[in-house]
Amino acid sequence: MDVTEVMGELERLGTEQNRKVYRRHGMTDPLFGVSFAHMNALEKRIKRDHELAEALWATGNADARTLAVTIADPERFTWDKLEAWLDGLRSPVLIDLLMKRIALKTPFARDAMARWTASNDEWIGRAGWTLLGLLATEDPSLPDSLFEERLSVIEASIHRARNRAREGMNSALISIGARNEPLRGKALTAARRIGKVEIDHGETNCKTPDATAYIEKIWARKPAAAPAAKPARGAAAKPAKAAAKPAKAAAKPAKAAAKPAKAAAKPAKAAAAKRA
C-alpha cells in the first residue's frame, strides 16, 4: 500500500462519533476518527514499512500519525529524527504511543528520558515522564538508583508541574512502585508525602489514579512467591527412590493373598449353578 491508498482507507474508516471522542481525549485535528480495532487491523496488514511511516507522518493527520508510529522501524530513528517527531505534538495519546512503540526501543531511550524530564515544556515533559514509567516496567537492567533519583524529583515538583506533565509524573510514580520491593517502599513513601494529585482530564470520565492505592493494588495482584525448587535429580534423589522399593515389595503379599479368595469363589459359583 502507498500513502495515497492508506489515507483513502483511513478517511473511509473514520466516523464523526470517534472524532468527537478522540478530541475530548486530546487528539488534535486534522483527524478522521478511525477506531482502534480498524487501526490494529491496518497495522497487521502493513506490518513494518518505515518509508510508508515517514510519508504518513508528514501528512500531519492524527490517524495517519498513529498508524505511522506502529509501522515505523525504531532502529531507523536517530536522535534528531525522534525529536523531530516529538516536536509540536499536543496529543497525550500520540505522545504516549510514540514513547512506547519507538523511543523505548532506541539505544538512546535513557538519555531521552533524562533530557525530556528536565524540560519545562508541558508536552516534552510528559514524553519524558511517560518514558521513565516505561523504562521502569520494561528494562530490568537499569539500577534502582536511577529511579530513586526521579522519585525525589517527582516528590519535589509534581504539584507545580504543568497538567499533562503532572499526569505523566503520577503514572511514572506508580510504575516505579511496581518495579520491585525496595522501590515499592520508596514510591509509597513518596506518594504519601505527595498526597492527592489534581489533573484536569477535560470533558472526559477519566479519573486520576491515587498512586498509593494503585501501587498496593498492583502488588496485591502479583502472584505469590514460587514454591521452593525440587532437589536436583541424582545422588540425593536415589535414597528416596530406593526407599520406595520396600513399599513396592510389600504390596506383593497382598496381591498374592488375593489369589485364595479368587479360588474360593469358584466352589460358590459351581454351587449356585447346581441350584439353578
Side-chain angles (χ1 to χ4, degrees):
M1 299 179 75
D2 62 25
V3 66
T4 302
E5 291 174 313
V6 175
M7 290 299 289
E9 186 149 2
L10 288 171
E11 185 173 10
R12 180 180 63 80
L13 294 171
T15 69
E16 180 57 31
Q17 179 59 34
N18 283 341
R19 286 193 286 274
K20 290 178 181 177
V21 172
Y22 293 166
R23 284 172 186 140
R24 286 200 297 270
H25 284 83
M27 197 74 86
T28 55
D29 287 307
L31 173 68
F32 291 136
V34 180
S35 71
F36 288 110
H38 284 134
M39 198 68 77
N40 290 338
L42 275 172
E43 179 191 349
K44 288 178 181 177
R45 279 170 55 193
I46 298 170
K47 299 184 172 67
R48 182 79 72 212
D49 189 332
H50 192 76
E51 284 69 27
L52 178 57
E54 292 271 19
L56 289 169
W57 189 267
T59 67
N61 179 278
D63 294 285
R65 286 186 162 189
T66 298
L67 182 59
V69 170
T70 65
I71 65 172
D73 183 357
E75 294 183 2
R76 299 275 296 273
F77 276 80
T78 62
W79 171 256
D80 288 341
K81 174 61 69 175
L82 182 59
E83 285 221 304
W85 277 38
L86 177 60
D87 184 44
L89 286 186
R90 296 294 182 269
S91 163
V93 175
L94 192 49
I95 288 172
D96 293 356
L97 187 64
L98 180 63
M99 294 302 103
K100 181 176 182 179
R101 300 295 292 267
I102 303 296
L104 178 65
K105 299 176 183 179
T106 64
F108 39 85
R110 181 173 172 177
D111 291 337
M113 177 275 296
R115 179 167 175 171
W116 295 339
T117 53
S119 174
N120 291 323
D121 181 90
E122 179 176 11
W123 303 100
I124 293 175
R126 181 191 179 85
W129 293 109
T130 298
L131 185 53
L132 175 67
L134 290 166
L135 289 169
T137 57
E138 302 291 339
D139 191 345
S141 70
L142 296 175
D144 282 3
S145 58
L146 181 148
F147 300 102
E148 290 166 1
E149 291 168 5
R150 298 296 153 179
L151 282 176
S152 298
V153 175
I154 292 172
E155 185 177 342
S157 59
I158 189 169
H159 287 302
R160 50 188 172 82
R162 299 183 69 181
N163 188 56
R164 291 300 185 177
R166 185 162 64 249
E167 184 178 24
M169 295 171 88
N170 193 58
S171 296
L173 172 60
I174 292 169
S175 295
I176 293 170
R179 183 175 170 86
N180 58 37
E181 279 283 6
L183 287 173
R184 172 192 182 184
K186 289 179 171 62
L188 285 172
T189 299
R192 292 184 185 113
R193 288 174 181 162
I194 289 168
K196 187 176 181 179
V197 176
E198 298 285 354
I199 296 166
D200 180 4
H201 296 281
E203 298 176 6
T204 71
N205 293 322
C206 296
K207 305 293 182 185
T208 304
D210 177 81
T212 301
Y214 212 87
I215 292 169
E216 294 288 24
K217 185 186 293 185
I218 289 171
W219 280 92
R221 290 178 177 175
K222 282 183 182 286
K230 293 179 181 179
R233 295 183 68 181
K238 288 179 180 177
K241 192 171 181 181
K245 289 182 179 178
K248 191 173 181 180
K252 290 181 179 177
K255 192 173 181 181
K259 291 181 179 178
K262 192 173 181 181
K266 291 181 179 178
K269 190 172 182 181
K274 288 181 181 178
R275 284 197 298 273

